[in-house]
Amino acid sequence: MNSISEKFKYLRTQNQCALIPFITAGDPDLETTTEALGVLEANGADFIELGVPYSDPLADGPVIQAAATRALERGTRLEDVLRIAQSVTRKIAAPIILFTYYNPILNLGIDQFLKTISEAGIKGLVVPDLPLEEADNLINTAETVGIEVILLVTPNTPDHRIQAIAQKSRGFIYLVSVTGVTGVRSQIQTRVKDVLQNIRKFTDKPIAVGFGISSPEQARQVKEWGADAVIVGSAFVKRLGESTPYQGLRAITEFCTELKSVTSEQLTVIS
């Protein structure tokens, strides 16, 4: 399986915007999560973001919070998430990016955590509450085991911090499209276009836009603003977790196909 950076290099040669679905591990159950990972890749996912359920998910909106609660109530733990990841990463080419909070990493120990997720085939790591000032140890240690730590920029991040984040982030830069938590939005803030262009002043690393994207039309808009990738979370989580497993898998199959048809169109950047 390719690294995140290698996959982005390839997609740029194809003039394509990447599609990155997000799902919560263990919702509706671990077996469905395992199937969903394969379904997403088979229907166009270039990368897959896999959320570890957490009891106090400060960056997550109501849909993902509810999914995490359901998964935890069914007994889903980090070791379960990594077990299914390991079984799937042997079969799919889409790099899996783990989404987790900082406290579980510290509880296990940075070295042990990174060694464990690397052995499970994880290629990337997003830690939304990781302080920039404390990121170096995690980033540098992760690199030694082939994990790329992805840092986040928000619409309110000042330029001096954008520059520091752009320098430290590995794989790509995660641009949060809204101020607030994840969740379905009816519109994407037009300010995202300006923030994208501003980040480009500091780096040529890929930029992925997430939080609030819930339709093919919004994905197309973000792509045309110049994003290298579109991250879609709550809309996938809702489709997968709020119906029967069979219905959920069918729903994400159709939705992923629709989104991929948009992101695979030839890129047109609006100036």
Side-chain angles (χ1 to χ4, degrees):
M1 185 169 58
N2 291 334
S3 72
I4 295 168
S5 296
E6 289 168 342
K7 186 66 177 283
F8 268 114
K9 286 179 182 178
Y10 169 76
L11 289 169
R12 280 182 166 177
T13 66
Q14 302 300 303
N15 203 29
Q16 285 191 21
C17 178
L19 172 61
I20 309 178
F22 170 99
I23 59 173
T24 300
D27 184 54
D29 52 57
L30 290 167
E31 292 75 16
T32 305
T33 300
T34 303
E35 288 189 60
L37 293 170
V39 163
L40 291 171
E41 198 223 16
N43 290 279
D46 298 293
F47 308 84
I48 303 171
E49 197 174 353
L50 183 62
V52 179
Y54 185 59
S55 58
D56 190 22
L58 299 178
D60 295 325
V63 171
I64 297 178
Q65 284 189 26
T69 298
R70 291 191 296 265
L72 289 171
E73 288 174 348
R74 293 187 179 95
T76 304
R77 298 294 181 264
L78 176 63
E79 53 266 33
D80 301 314
V81 178
L82 297 182
R83 175 174 51 80
I84 63 173
Q86 187 170 40
S87 71
V88 171
T89 53
R90 298 169 182 165
K91 305 172 186 176
I92 68 174
I96 294 181
I97 301 164
L98 201 69
F99 183 104
T100 189
Y101 288 84
Y102 199 27
N103 194 52
I105 299 174
L106 294 177
N107 283 342
L108 190 59
I110 289 175
D111 289 355
Q112 183 59 45
F113 177 86
L114 292 170
K115 179 177 181 290
T116 302
I117 69 170
S118 176
E119 290 173 350
I122 301 297
K123 293 297 181 181
L125 181 63
V126 176
V127 186
D129 59 344
L130 173 66
L132 176 63
E133 291 73 18
E134 299 177 23
D136 285 346
N137 185 30
L138 182 65
I139 292 169
N140 294 335
T141 305
E143 282 191 309
T144 67
V145 292
I147 302 288
E148 294 179 280
V149 177
I150 298 132
L151 302 181
L152 290 81
V153 168
T154 75
N156 294 331
T157 303
D159 280 1
H160 71 278
R161 288 185 72 83
I162 290 176
Q163 188 170 11
I165 290 167
Q167 189 274 323
K168 293 182 179 183
S169 190
R170 301 294 187 260
F172 63 91
I173 296 160
Y174 194 137
L175 172 55
V176 176
S177 68
V178 296
T179 51
V181 297
T182 62
V184 173
R185 303 294 200 281
S186 59
Q187 292 182 324
I188 301 297
Q189 294 182 8
T190 55
R191 188 179 176 190
V192 171
K193 176 184 174 183
D194 297 329
V195 179
L196 268 165
Q197 293 175 345
N198 193 39
I199 297 172
R200 296 285 186 213
K201 296 190 302 187
F202 302 108
T203 184
D204 62 355
K205 290 178 182 176
I207 302 170
V209 177
F211 284 48
I213 299 171
S214 59
S215 70
E217 293 75 22
Q218 291 172 339
R220 178 180 287 110
Q221 183 177 64
V222 168
K223 181 188 68 144
E224 290 180 345
W225 283 340
D228 296 283
V230 175
I231 302 170
V232 182
S234 294
F236 273 107
V237 172
K238 185 177 181 67
R239 283 169 170 79
L240 184 60
E242 297 184 1
S243 57
T244 68
Y246 174 76
Q247 292 170 329
L249 290 168
R250 284 193 62 182
I252 67 167
T253 296
E254 295 170 1
F255 189 48
C256 193
T257 300
E258 291 174 1
L259 290 169
K260 182 60 178 179
S261 69
V262 170
T263 61
S264 61
E265 295 170 354
Q266 186 172 2
L267 278 169
T268 303
V269 179
I270 299 176
S271 59

